[in-house]
Amino acid sequence: MNALPAGKFYPAASAMQKIILASQSPRRKQLLEWAEVPFDIIIHPTDESYPAHLTADEIAIHIARNKALAIVQMVQPALPVLAADTIVVLNGEIIGKPANRADAMIILGKLSGQKHQVITGVVILNNHTEIAFADITEVEFHALTNKQIEFYVDKYQPYDKAGAYAIQEWIGVVGIKSVKGDFYNVMGLPVSRVVQALLQC
């Protein structure tokens, strides 16, 4: 195998244009890095409330759109703005981030032995063009013991995660029975679908 000549720049194989990521999520940052999508991070606090009549996938898109619009209105960027929001739905109930330790344990107790949906709404704004979609993954947990739930919550403190868990952490390794759909969507971004959308920008 021949080595590449030193001192010469070789672009990433993805050859993607640079974007703005409107998220402080370390998981979304990591996924875009893995996909070799160049980006800057700009965030602005946004209202995550939503109209009561929206469906679950519409809720995720609505919140993601508000995040993207906040950046566009703040800096009027020349680059595409990518925003996302992830929610967990169990038997029609929308489960957000836990308020505290007790809430996290209650949430995981509800998910134990059950199937639920992880929905990530994605919005890309580029000039006056919007691409918006929601990706849905079904996740099924094994029955979790109280000791397992307590161990996970106390060690990993999943208070910034919808559904009170991260699939790439210990609880995902030992507690998840099956995943139907995009694994990375459960981490917070259906990254392959995002890349396909960015190619349209």
Side-chain angles (χ1 to χ4, degrees):
M1 180 181 295
N2 295 326
L4 296 176
K8 187 174 180 179
F9 172 74
Y10 291 87
S14 63
M16 297 291 297
Q17 68 170 315
K18 192 173 188 178
I19 67 169
I20 292 172
L21 173 62
S23 174
Q24 59 185 347
S25 163
R27 279 80 61 186
R28 294 188 182 119
K29 176 178 180 289
Q30 183 180 50
L31 289 170
L32 287 179
E33 288 173 345
W34 286 351
E36 298 197 25
V37 176
F39 63 92
D40 290 327
I41 294 176
I42 303 177
I43 56 173
H44 188 271
T46 55
D47 180 12
E48 296 194 7
S49 63
Y50 50 84
H53 67 274
L54 296 183
T55 63
D57 55 340
E58 290 171 340
I59 290 169
I61 292 172
H62 176 84
I63 296 173
R65 181 180 290 117
N66 284 346
K67 292 178 181 179
L69 285 171
I71 301 306
V72 170
Q73 294 166 0
M74 182 173 65
V75 300
Q76 298 181 339
L79 301 174
V81 176
L82 167 65
D85 187 73
T86 301
I87 61 174
V88 169
V89 182
L90 174 67
N91 299 325
E93 177 188 359
I94 295 173
I95 299 175
K97 299 172 184 177
N100 49 44
R101 180 181 185 272
D103 193 28
M105 294 185 67
I106 290 171
I107 289 171
L108 289 171
K110 289 181 178 180
L111 297 179
S112 173
Q114 301 293 319
K115 293 179 181 178
H116 65 273
Q117 291 75 46
V118 178
I119 304 175
T120 299
V122 175
V123 172
I124 301 168
L125 298 181
N126 187 27
N127 294 319
H128 300 293
T129 302
E130 176 186 286
I131 298 174
F133 60 87
D135 204 273
I136 302 175
T137 303
E138 182 183 88
V139 179
E140 181 177 4
F141 269 101
H142 291 290
L144 302 171
T145 67
N146 289 336
K147 286 186 177 180
Q148 286 177 316
I149 292 173
E150 188 175 67
F151 168 79
Y152 175 70
V153 170
D154 288 343
K155 182 169 183 178
Y156 291 88
Q157 300 185 346
Y159 306 128
D160 64 336
K161 299 172 179 68
Y165 78 93
I167 194 170
Q168 71 275 17
E169 293 178 343
W170 175 85
I171 200 164
V173 175
V174 305
I176 288 179
K177 183 177 181 179
S178 67
V179 176
K180 295 181 180 178
D182 188 338
F183 175 90
Y184 299 109
N185 185 50
V186 187
M187 285 182 64
L189 196 67
V191 65
S192 62
R193 191 171 176 184
V194 167
V195 168
Q196 293 302 310
L198 289 173
L199 291 173
Q200 301 174 31
C201 291

